[in-house]
Amino acid sequence: MDIFLTNNLTNKKEQFIPIQKENIGMYVCGPTVYDDPHIGNARPLVIFDILFKILKNNFSKVTYVRNITDIDDKIILSSQKLKITTKELTQKITKSFFEDCKFLNCEDPTHQPKATEHIDIMIQMINDLIKKGYAYENNKHVYFEVKKFSEYGKLSNKKLEDLIAGSRIEISDNKKNSQDFVLWKPSIKDEPSWDSPWGSGRPGWHLECSAMSKKLLGNEFDIHGGGIDLIFPHHENEIAQSRCANDTEVFANFWIHNAFITMSNEKMAKSQGNILKIKDFRKKMSGQIIRLALMSAHYRQPLDWNDKLLTDCENTLDKWYRIKLENFKPIKIPDEILKPLYEDLNTPGYIANLHGLYEKAIKGDNKDLFISACKFIGLLNETSEQWHNFKKDRVSLSESEIEKMINLRDKARENKDYKEADRIRDELSDKGVLIEDKNGRTLWKFK
C-alpha cells in the first residue's frame, strides 16, 4: 500500500517514494539527557515508533536512528547545579529515558548513537566546511557562515531576516554575522573537552545530528523527524551544514514534525510550570494508557493533556482487555484496516477501526484480527491478568475493605443518608475503585 506523509520541506502531503526501494533510512532527534523526559518528549517517541512499524510492514530493510545528545550547554549547567559530573548525569538520565521507552512499549531503534562517541567525525565535518569556505574560525570558535548557503530558511518557509527576528540568536563578538551558528566552541575549566585543530573544546548541538546521521545513513536519506520546535534553528542548521559539507542537493527527502502537547491549551514548558515527567506515571498507570492517549489526536495537531483524556483511554483499554488474549494467533491485517495509518499517520482513524473490530470480536467474530491490529500499534501487549493486576496493585484497599465500604454505603442509602452514601462513593473513587448500582446490586471494579 502507498504511504503518504506531510513533508514540511514542501508544505504538502506527498507519496513516500524511498531513495532505495528496499533500504529505508530514518533519523529522529532524540533526547538531550539533562533532565528526565516529560510527556511532551513522549509524543515523538510513540509517533515515530508507529511510523517505524508502518515502514517495516512495507519494506524489507528499515534503518531507524535516534540519537542521544550527551554533551550540551544544558547538560553542563544541570550537572553543575546538581554537583555531579556530566557523565554521572547523562548516564542517569539515559537510563531513565530507556525505561520510559520500555514503559511506552516503543521498539528499540536500529541505532541509538551517543554524541560523545562521534566527536572525531564532527571534527572532520568542520574541517570540510572550513576548506569549502562555509565556515570560519575566530578565537578558538568555529562558526557556519549562514549567508553562504542560499537556501537557508527553506524548511521554515521564511526569509532569513524573519527567522532571526523571531528566535534567540547567540550574540558573540567572534561572529562575522549575528545569524552565524557555532560548530565548535572552547571549553572552560572543568567542562568536558576534546582536542581539535582549534584547541580544546566541544561541538555545537546542531553539528552532532549531522555527523551521526551521515555515519549511519549516508549523505542523503529518506526521513528526518522530530518535534515541531526543532524546525528552527536546529533542523534548518542541520540542512545547511550537511548539504554544504557533503556537496548534496538534499539532506533528507521528507521532514516530519509532531505538534506540541498542551495543558489547558497552553504549551507544556518549564517556564509554564506544567511539566509532567514520564517516570511519574510509571507507578500510577499502565504505559498502555499513555500510549493510547498520545495517539488519540493526529500528530500534526496539538494534543491537550488532561485527566478526562486519560480516563477515556483507560476505559477503552478496560473494554478491549475483555477480549481473551489467550490462544491468540497473529494474522495479516487487511489494507482497509491499515489505511488510516498509511494516510499521514492518521492514528485517530485507525483507533476508530479498532473500535469497529472490537464490536465484532466481542461477538466472537475474528478475535485474532482485532488483537493483531491492536498489537500492530503497540497496544494489548499485556495479558488480561497483568492488566487487571496492575489496576488492582495501585488500589490502596483490599477487596474485603472495599466490600465493607460498599455495605456501609448501602446502609446509608437505606437510611436515606445520601450525603454519606455519596461521600463513601467518592472516597472509593479517590482510591481507585468505581461502583455502579445495577438491578438492586452494587457492582465495583478497579479504575
Side-chain angles (χ1 to χ4, degrees):
M1 190 190 307
D2 292 335
I3 299 172
F4 290 86
L5 298 168
T6 296
N7 186 357
N8 280 331
L9 192 62
T10 59
N11 251 344
K12 57 186 179 182
K13 188 162 75 173
E14 301 174 356
Q15 182 180 347
F16 173 67
I17 300 174
I19 296 170
Q20 300 178 50
K21 189 176 180 182
E22 294 302 330
N23 187 10
I24 313 303
M26 178 170 73
Y27 186 96
V28 176
C29 289
T32 299
V33 285
Y34 72 100
D35 197 3
D36 292 297
H38 55 73
I39 287 295
N41 304 133
R43 196 176 194 191
L45 292 179
V46 170
I47 292 301
F48 290 103
D49 181 61
I50 293 171
L51 180 53
F52 186 33
K53 297 175 190 300
I54 294 167
L55 292 169
K56 288 194 299 177
N57 199 52
N58 260 39
F59 303 100
S60 58
K61 182 180 179 183
V62 181
T63 302
Y64 173 19
V65 181
R66 186 182 63 215
N67 69 293
I68 302 288
T69 295
D70 57 349
I71 179 62
D72 181 73
D73 291 346
K74 290 180 180 178
I75 291 169
I76 293 170
L77 289 172
S78 183
S79 67
Q80 291 171 346
K81 184 178 179 181
L82 295 169
K83 296 181 180 180
I84 59 176
T85 66
T86 56
K87 186 174 182 180
E88 288 172 323
L89 176 64
T90 57
Q91 287 180 339
K92 174 178 176 288
I93 301 302
T94 300
K95 181 176 182 290
S96 181
F97 171 72
F98 289 152
E99 289 169 355
D100 290 341
C101 292
K102 184 177 180 181
F103 171 68
L104 295 169
N105 197 28
C106 293
E107 291 185 58
D108 289 338
T110 317
H111 303 286
Q112 298 191 78
K114 294 180 179 178
T116 55
E117 296 172 354
H118 295 83
I119 303 295
D120 55 338
I121 57 175
M122 296 177 200
I123 290 172
Q124 181 58 55
M125 184 171 273
I126 296 171
N127 267 323
D128 291 343
L129 287 166
I130 292 173
K131 288 176 184 176
K132 292 172 182 178
Y134 294 109
Y136 58 91
E137 186 264 340
N138 187 19
N139 195 22
K140 299 183 179 181
H141 292 73
V142 183
Y143 293 95
F144 182 91
E145 193 167 0
V146 168
K147 70 178 183 180
K148 293 285 185 74
F149 182 59
S150 62
E151 293 189 46
Y152 195 86
K154 184 177 179 181
L155 179 65
S156 315
N157 197 28
K158 292 183 180 179
K159 293 179 180 179
L160 181 58
E161 313 85 74
D162 297 332
L163 288 170
I164 294 169
S167 66
R168 292 178 293 177
I169 298 293
E170 179 192 354
I171 305 300
S172 173
D173 293 337
N174 296 309
K175 294 183 181 184
K176 289 183 180 179
N177 311 289
S178 62
Q179 67 266 31
D180 297 345
F181 59 88
V182 69
L183 300 173
W184 189 266
K185 64 175 74 175
S187 298
I188 61 176
K189 185 181 178 182
D190 297 329
E191 289 184 351
S193 63
W194 290 264
D195 292 333
S196 80
W198 319 284
S200 180
R202 52 195 171 90
W205 172 45
H206 312 299
L207 183 76
E208 296 173 0
C209 288
S210 286
M212 289 184 281
S213 62
K214 176 182 173 74
K215 177 184 176 181
L216 295 167
L217 297 174
N219 292 346
E220 300 178 16
F221 53 93
D222 297 294
I223 297 170
H224 197 312
I228 197 170
D229 55 318
L230 297 179
I231 291 178
F232 185 84
H234 187 50
H235 288 168
E236 202 73 74
N237 291 352
E238 275 191 69
I239 292 171
Q241 64 200 8
S242 293
R243 283 188 52 189
C244 292
N246 302 332
D247 296 318
T248 57
E249 290 299 313
V250 295
F251 175 39
N253 278 346
F254 279 76
W255 289 81
I256 315 297
H257 299 94
N258 63 273
F260 293 123
I261 284 181
T262 61
M263 293 185 68
S264 300
N265 296 312
E266 286 188 344
K267 178 189 170 186
M268 187 178 291
K270 284 193 172 181
S271 59
Q272 300 283 358
N274 59 3
I275 291 294
L276 299 173
K277 293 183 177 179
I278 304 170
K279 72 173 187 178
D280 293 334
F281 285 93
R282 291 186 208 149
K283 292 182 179 179
K284 293 180 181 178
M285 61 182 63
S286 166
Q288 296 278 282
I289 299 168
I290 306 297
R291 186 177 178 96
L292 181 58
L294 289 166
M295 60 177 83
S296 63
H298 192 275
Y299 78 97
R300 289 177 54 80
Q301 300 299 319
L303 170 62
D304 196 56
W305 197 262
N306 54 68
D307 289 342
K308 183 180 184 303
L309 170 66
L310 297 177
T311 299
D312 289 346
C313 289
E314 182 166 357
N315 290 340
T316 293
L317 287 164
D318 254 341
K319 184 173 70 172
W320 289 355
Y321 268 105
R322 292 174 196 164
I323 299 291
K324 290 185 179 180
L325 304 184
E326 295 75 18
N327 303 318
F328 153 68
K329 294 179 182 178
I331 62 174
K332 183 176 173 60
I333 305 168
D335 286 350
E336 63 266 24
I337 301 298
L338 289 172
K339 188 176 180 181
L341 296 180
Y342 283 73
E343 286 286 340
D344 200 22
L345 303 179
N346 180 4
T347 50
Y350 188 74
I351 292 168
N353 284 348
L354 293 180
H355 282 293
L357 291 174
Y358 168 79
E359 293 302 326
K360 294 179 180 177
I362 203 72
K363 298 172 184 174
D365 185 14
N366 220 334
K367 177 188 82 170
D368 290 341
L369 175 57
F370 168 69
I371 298 173
S372 295
C374 286
K375 287 182 177 293
F376 183 82
I377 53 169
L379 299 175
L380 299 193
N381 67 314
E382 302 169 355
T383 65
S384 298
E385 184 179 7
Q386 287 172 325
W387 171 260
H388 178 76
N389 285 342
F390 185 90
K391 291 166 68 66
K392 182 179 178 181
D393 289 345
R394 71 181 182 180
V395 175
S396 57
L397 298 170
S398 67
E399 292 193 15
S400 61
E401 288 172 322
I402 294 169
E403 296 289 355
K404 184 178 179 181
M405 290 181 70
I406 288 174
N407 287 336
L408 289 172
R409 178 176 175 269
D410 288 343
K411 288 179 181 177
R413 293 175 74 203
E414 286 174 15
N415 296 328
K416 297 185 179 181
D417 187 353
Y418 299 117
K419 185 176 180 180
E420 175 65 6
D422 289 346
R423 186 197 66 76
I424 295 171
R425 180 200 62 203
D426 293 343
E427 183 180 347
L428 284 166
S429 179
D430 290 342
K431 292 182 178 181
V433 178
L434 288 176
I435 61 174
E436 180 185 5
D437 298 313
K438 192 172 184 179
N439 299 327
R441 296 178 57 215
T442 301
L443 307 176
W444 65 269
K445 66 177 181 177
F446 297 118
K447 276 174 114 179

